[in-house]
Amino acid sequence: MFRSATEQPRAPGRNVHVLVPTRPRAAAGRDDAWRETLPRSQSKAAVRWRRLVERHTSRTDSRGTTRIATVLRLSFVSPDKTMVLSPDLPTRDPLPTYLAPIPRVIEDLGLRFAWLVVAINLAGTAFGFWYYSPQLADTAVVMWPWVPDSPLATLFIALAIAAWKLGYEQPWLTSLAFFGNVILGLWTPFTLLAFADAYAYLHPLMYQFLFWSHLAMVVQAYVLHRITDFPVWGVAVAFVWYTSNLIVDYFIPIVGEPHHTFIPVARDEPMFLEADALGVIAAGEVTFTLLALFLALATRVKKCELARGRPG
């Protein structure tokens, strides 16, 4: 079976007709027939187009057929008639609300302006490293990767989205981005509220910026289900990394003192429910790490159920 995509190129009088194959899974491979009806002068562009499509991700539907998982649009750019591949937005699986609470219009907006999201996260990463500079100065260099938690989370998501936009989505990187933005996006507001009186030294605008910008990290984490299926091995990479972060932050610092983000009170400051300050922030981060693990694996399970035609 073939699916046809036709578009008028910019050069007048030249129609492009491309047939994209839909093929049985068993027959999938590079040897399948590809047919293009193109002017002879544009054969090089056709070859480039075919190679791009062959590299593009395929998905398997419930009927056992493999389909190109992208709506393809072809255009020619004068004067060299270069052919361009433009992917549509990834589909939105009908996941339960607790796994996909962000309205589709917001998800689509973020994906359409993905490079802007990347730029914003890179700017946040730069600000975060500046914010952590006093703590980094007091930390052994070998432990630096475990100190600036929030900047690393925004760096992970910037790299994950950029990789997806370039056609090379990395499940392990996207999983790291999901875990980091859920954990730190919730832990920082939790800590700001738990020690609200002690954070009075912050300018009110800085306090509000830290609070709401970190909650926005959770929002963008909830969009990542559109670009990944959260394979178990990718989730495992993220879980191992953030478990190691828990260990050196609160339990076994390895070098020096515990490497959690500075808090404005002593670690042994009595808090509530017979807990001290260190216990409160540790409990928060452990809880949010387990939450991220549950959400990632639950998303994986639901996507597998949908692929097999068994909605949960």
Side-chain angles (χ1 to χ4, degrees):
M1 297 294 294
F2 287 87
R3 177 162 53 88
S4 177
T6 305
E7 182 169 331
Q8 180 73 24
R10 295 186 182 182
R14 294 184 178 179
N15 290 322
V16 179
H17 186 70
V18 180
L19 295 177
V20 180
T22 300
R23 54 204 173 175
R25 184 175 180 83
R30 288 177 177 258
D31 294 331
D32 291 315
W34 291 78
R35 295 170 53 195
E36 301 94 4
T37 303
L38 293 166
R40 184 179 299 274
S41 62
Q42 295 165 357
S43 58
K44 291 183 179 180
V47 171
R48 286 197 296 271
W49 174 83
R50 182 168 62 186
R51 288 174 180 171
L52 282 170
V53 173
E54 287 177 344
R55 289 203 308 265
H56 215 71
T57 304
S58 297
R59 299 181 65 180
T60 303
D61 62 16
S62 58
R63 298 179 183 176
T65 59
T66 302
R67 302 179 186 275
I68 301 299
T70 305
V71 176
L72 302 176
R73 297 196 304 273
L74 299 178
S75 62
F76 289 94
V77 181
S78 298
D80 60 353
K81 309 298 188 296
T82 301
M83 196 171 285
V84 178
L85 180 69
S86 300
D88 201 359
L89 294 181
T91 57
R92 189 181 197 268
D93 292 320
L95 299 175
T97 302
Y98 70 91
L99 296 178
I102 309 302
R104 179 170 186 163
V105 64
I106 302 299
E107 291 183 358
D108 288 350
L109 187 65
L111 294 172
R112 289 187 188 280
F113 293 94
W115 287 118
L116 177 60
V117 174
V118 169
I120 292 172
N121 277 278
L122 290 178
T125 299
F127 170 81
F129 280 119
W130 169 82
Y131 187 88
Y132 274 90
S133 57
Q135 184 170 351
L136 289 171
D138 291 337
T139 303
V141 175
V142 69
M143 300 306 297
W144 278 10
W146 287 272
V147 173
D149 297 331
S150 293
L152 276 181
T154 53
L155 179 61
F156 285 151
I157 200 166
L159 295 177
I161 295 174
W164 165 70
K165 283 294 291 181
L166 295 173
Y168 299 97
E169 190 269 328
Q170 302 294 319
W172 63 271
L173 182 57
T174 309
S175 296
L176 281 170
F178 180 80
F179 270 67
N181 281 263
V182 169
I183 295 169
L184 281 308
L186 293 174
W187 182 85
T188 300
F190 166 77
T191 303
L192 289 170
L193 291 176
F195 305 104
D197 292 340
Y199 276 114
Y201 71 91
L202 287 175
H203 190 283
L205 291 179
M206 176 61 77
Y207 184 94
Q208 294 296 325
F209 169 74
L210 292 173
F211 188 92
W212 295 107
S213 63
H214 281 80
L215 285 181
M217 292 168 62
V218 182
V219 173
Q220 63 182 5
Y222 266 115
V223 180
L224 294 178
H225 72 91
R226 295 282 294 273
I227 68 173
T228 189
D229 291 331
F230 289 113
V232 173
W233 68 268
V235 174
V237 170
F239 183 66
V240 168
W241 172 256
Y242 279 100
T243 298
S244 74
N245 194 66
L246 285 173
I247 291 172
V248 300
D249 275 2
Y250 305 110
F251 304 107
I252 306 174
I254 300 179
V255 177
E257 297 183 344
H259 302 288
H260 61 81
T261 302
F262 282 155
I263 54 176
V265 298
R267 294 190 181 104
D268 58 357
E269 178 77 15
M271 295 293 291
F272 44 82
L273 300 178
E274 303 299 323
D276 58 15
L278 183 65
V280 168
I281 60 174
E285 191 164 337
V286 169
T287 300
F288 300 139
T289 300
L290 294 176
L291 175 63
L293 176 64
F294 166 75
L295 292 174
L297 292 179
T299 301
R300 174 66 178 177
V301 169
K302 289 298 181 182
K303 283 177 173 280
C304 289
E305 289 176 348
L306 291 169
R308 294 170 183 169
R310 298 201 316 266

